[in-house]
Amino acid sequence: MTLARNDLAVPAAPASRWQFDAKALIAAPGLVFMALAFAVPVLMLVGDSFVDSQGLSLAGYRKVLGDPYYIGIIGNSLQLACITTGVCLAIGYPAAWALARIRGVWQVILFALIFLPLTVSIVVKTFGLTIMMRRDGIINFLLVNLGFIERPMRLVFTEFSLYFGMVNVFLPFMILPLYSVMRMLDPRLMDASASLGAGPLHTFLRVTLPLTMPGVIAGGTLVFSISVAAYVTPGLLVGDRFMTMSQVMAKAYLNIRDFQLGASMAVIMLVISAALILASSYLVRTPGGEKR
Amino acid sequence: MALFGSLFCRLILGLVIVFLFLPILIVLTVSFSSSAVFAFPPPGFSLRWYASLGNADSILQAVWLSSQIAALSTAISLVLGTLCAIAITRGMIPGAKAVATFMASPLMLPGLVLGIAFLQAARDFGLRDTYTTLLIAHVVITMPFIMRTVLASLSLFDFAMVDAARMLGRSYPAALWTVLVPNILPGFVSGGLFAFIASFDNYPVSIFLVDVRTKTLPIQLLNQVEMSPDPTVAAISALLILGTIVALIVCDRLVGLKRMASI
């Protein structure tokens, strides 16, 4: 649940050369367990993607990367993640700014109100969203009663309901990292910029945005990496009309039993998320987005 | 201009909170509806869906299974993770930073990828028992939450106290138990809570590991929402939300919410 920092609290290694200490064996049960139960299965999955019934083969990748249908599905997942991240950033940035600038008991209350929805199961929230999107649901009720539309319209299984739901579920993951960076920002920097003659836009582009960039990168990476892999929310809100990599992976294993297809898709997703994590840790270390 | 900007941001924040709570409030409303259809506004008030939970055997079994898996996996992760974190913090093992990253990395992988990896491995190793497979997978899922909080707590802990206890005649395990454990208890509480929630709410890993008779709660709910959603699902969801709020309040009293969120 670390939302802003990727670094773990590990002290620098002692300067002296490492020597075996019998006490170090206390780490063994955990390490052995994670090696067997986590590292080995993931490595085996990568291995499986290169194997079919005849032996070594790239058939899984040829099937996925050579077929416009599957390329389109990878495109769908990336599009879903890009739009979700963009909308979350556009809405989350001003909201996090307001949250960071409010002081006292209100900050605690508002913080709790942003935090609480995160602890509610995604299945439960998506269930609520499908009820909202019904023809007789609250969105249509509001739209009709406010006079925007004449008759209720079909919302569920549309892209509108997909993005509405994705942003609803993942927005706190954008706001909290932004908030933790903005909270550290000295508001007098913005005053200084204004008193030196910069307009609001200039101040925002030259002072506020660069200083909050670590939060933008952290939040953006987090929202992108979880929305590119989202399964329940797209599945319930648009279903088969908008297939994503997650749906294909789940189908490959649970329905059509094409394990090589599923494993190849999983490895491609693994590569996408690994690239993203590497890119973001590179970005926060370069000047312009320097590490806090 | 600056005043206008800050009012604008506050307005957005207010709307965001309303937006975030909409689906949660809808679920709560539906759970008290007197009708089996989800029309808005609901026609009347009733508690019938809560009463019908008593007969919903499949949901109750799923709640019981998820509670067991979450509690056991959190407990195992706490023990294994804390021991490993002590060795990392004290520099007892080489490459401490890399080891810490490894132990916390399941959180960074897409859940479905992990789930598929567990499914394949269980098949290849001939592990047929669903309960054991789920438990092993959930220890992996909960480990990162424990590692993060316990490493953070240990970095503030003064190990000279353990040495003092040993000089006063305690064995190393006894010194850890009587001195270190009480001191980093807040880390255990917040890490344990998040680990428990992460396991209890997990669907992307569990979905590949459950069978017809052994289903965790998120998978049972997902199946019911897909097949035949009725307000019974809303009623159990409402109780889950209530349970989460109670757990958060208890932990806020114990360690403080701000501290928990910034693990």
Side-chain angles (χ1 to χ4, degrees):
Chain A
M1 195 59 59
T2 296
L3 297 166
R5 287 169 298 159
N6 270 332
D7 50 329
L8 296 153
V10 180
S16 61
R17 209 170 60 83
W18 176 78
Q19 282 184 322
F20 181 76
D21 177 352
K23 291 204 291 288
L25 287 175
I26 62 173
L31 279 176
V32 170
F33 178 85
M34 290 297 275
L36 288 179
F38 166 57
V40 168
V42 172
L43 292 176
M44 279 167 60
L45 175 68
V46 176
D48 279 350
S49 72
F50 293 104
V51 174
D52 68 5
S53 50
Q54 265 88 55
L56 275 183
S57 100
L58 289 171
Y61 292 100
R62 213 171 288 137
K63 187 168 182 179
V64 172
L65 297 174
D67 186 338
Y69 174 71
Y70 290 111
I71 294 286
I73 283 168
I74 297 176
N76 278 354
S77 282
L78 293 175
Q79 179 198 335
L80 177 67
C82 283
I83 296 182
T84 305
T85 309
V87 176
C88 282
L89 182 61
I91 302 173
Y93 197 93
W97 184 257
L99 184 63
R101 289 279 83 90
I102 290 169
R103 291 276 169 260
V105 70
W106 273 105
Q107 192 186 37
V108 179
I109 293 171
L110 293 170
F111 178 86
L113 289 177
I114 298 284
F115 183 72
L116 184 69
L118 263 189
T119 58
V120 176
S121 158
I122 287 189
V123 177
V124 171
K125 278 189 284 191
T126 307
F127 174 51
L129 286 162
T130 59
I131 298 175
M132 284 169 68
M133 295 295 165
R134 290 164 59 92
R135 207 179 277 275
D136 53 6
I138 187 172
I139 303 263
N140 270 313
F141 178 80
L142 287 177
L143 288 176
V144 171
N145 280 286
L146 294 173
F148 287 115
I149 51 175
E150 300 241 317
R151 263 173 301 154
M153 54 182 187
R154 199 177 60 88
L155 292 172
V156 79
F157 300 134
T158 62
E159 293 207 0
F160 166 80
S161 75
L162 171 66
Y163 290 113
F164 188 96
M166 290 291 287
V167 172
N168 189 287
V169 172
F170 297 130
L171 187 55
F173 290 109
M174 179 65 84
I175 295 182
L176 293 178
L178 280 171
Y179 161 78
S180 68
V181 170
M182 288 172 176
R183 201 173 41 133
M184 303 294 180
L185 211 61
D186 189 340
R188 286 173 301 181
L189 286 169
M190 272 62 81
D191 296 341
S193 167
S195 69
L196 291 170
L201 185 66
H202 196 74
T203 301
F204 175 74
L205 289 178
R206 299 299 298 274
V207 180
T208 319
L209 190 59
L211 284 172
T212 51
M213 211 31 128
V216 174
I217 292 168
T221 311
L222 195 60
V223 172
F224 193 97
S225 60
I226 51 182
S227 52
V228 82
Y231 173 69
V232 162
T233 309
L236 289 179
L237 289 174
V238 282
D240 293 344
R241 291 160 155 268
F242 189 89
M243 288 291 278
T244 60
M245 295 170 74
S246 303
Q247 320 288 343
V248 171
M249 275 157 57
K251 270 207 164 56
Y253 277 91
L254 300 176
N255 303 353
I256 57 174
R257 308 183 80 76
D258 182 346
F259 301 144
Q260 204 188 13
L261 169 68
S264 310
M265 220 29 148
V267 172
I268 293 172
M269 186 179 275
L270 205 57
V271 170
I272 293 176
S273 29
L276 203 68
I277 291 167
L278 288 178
S280 81
S281 59
Y282 172 77
L283 278 176
V284 290
R285 279 185 179 84
T286 48
E290 78 200 68
K291 224 166 148 58
R292 280 184 300 132
Chain B
M1 189 66 207
L3 181 71
F4 173 77
S6 108
L7 279 179
F8 173 76
C9 289
R10 286 182 187 202
L11 178 69
I12 298 271
L13 179 62
L15 291 175
V16 159
I17 289 172
V18 172
F19 171 67
L20 289 179
F21 272 87
L22 259 179
I24 299 171
L25 294 177
I26 291 290
V27 170
L28 293 178
T29 312
V30 166
S31 75
F32 291 113
S33 166
S34 59
S35 152
V37 293
F38 301 118
F40 187 88
F45 173 88
S46 88
L47 290 174
R48 57 190 278 215
W49 306 112
Y50 289 89
S52 73
L53 270 183
N55 301 321
D57 285 341
S58 52
I59 290 187
L60 294 180
Q61 277 170 15
V63 171
W64 177 228
L65 176 69
S66 278
S67 313
Q68 288 177 44
I69 297 280
L72 283 174
S73 62
T74 303
I76 296 173
S77 281
L78 269 173
V79 175
L80 298 183
T82 305
L83 290 176
C84 205
I86 292 170
I88 290 169
T89 312
R90 297 303 284 153
M92 292 173 187
I93 44 178
K97 184 98 191 169
V99 173
T101 307
F102 167 67
M103 296 290 283
S105 60
L107 194 55
M108 300 200 221
L109 299 189
L112 287 177
V113 174
L114 264 185
I116 289 175
F118 290 137
L119 173 68
Q120 287 281 54
R123 242 180 226 157
D124 293 352
F125 289 135
L127 185 60
R128 290 185 189 281
D129 185 41
T130 306
Y131 191 95
T132 316
T133 317
L134 271 174
L135 184 59
I136 293 174
H138 279 237
V139 174
V140 175
I141 295 165
T142 50
M143 188 65 82
F145 295 91
I146 303 296
M147 287 309 287
R148 284 176 180 279
T149 38
V150 174
L151 279 174
S153 303
L154 285 179
S155 68
L156 302 172
F157 175 75
D158 184 0
F159 274 89
M161 291 203 280
V162 174
D163 298 336
R166 294 196 66 197
M167 253 183 281
L168 293 170
R170 293 273 174 162
S171 66
Y172 188 64
L176 291 181
W177 181 252
T178 51
V179 178
L180 182 128
V181 170
N183 267 290
I184 60 169
L185 205 55
F188 286 156
V189 171
S190 55
L193 177 75
F194 279 117
F196 188 93
I197 292 178
S199 162
F200 200 83
D201 283 347
N202 181 281
Y203 67 87
V205 170
S206 304
I207 196 167
F208 294 105
L209 306 179
V210 295
D211 63 37
V212 182
R213 277 168 303 154
T214 324
K215 276 186 191 164
T216 60
L217 185 59
I219 307 301
Q220 176 67 32
L221 288 182
L222 191 58
N223 288 352
Q224 268 182 257
V225 170
E226 279 170 343
M227 300 299 171
S228 58
D230 77 43
T232 316
V233 178
I236 187 73
S237 304
L239 291 178
L240 284 182
I241 294 169
L242 186 71
T244 314
I245 294 174
V246 170
L248 283 179
I249 291 174
V250 168
C251 287
D252 181 41
R253 290 289 129 218
L254 289 174
V255 289
L257 194 63
K258 280 288 188 82
R259 184 167 166 180
M260 274 170 22
S262 63
I263 302 167

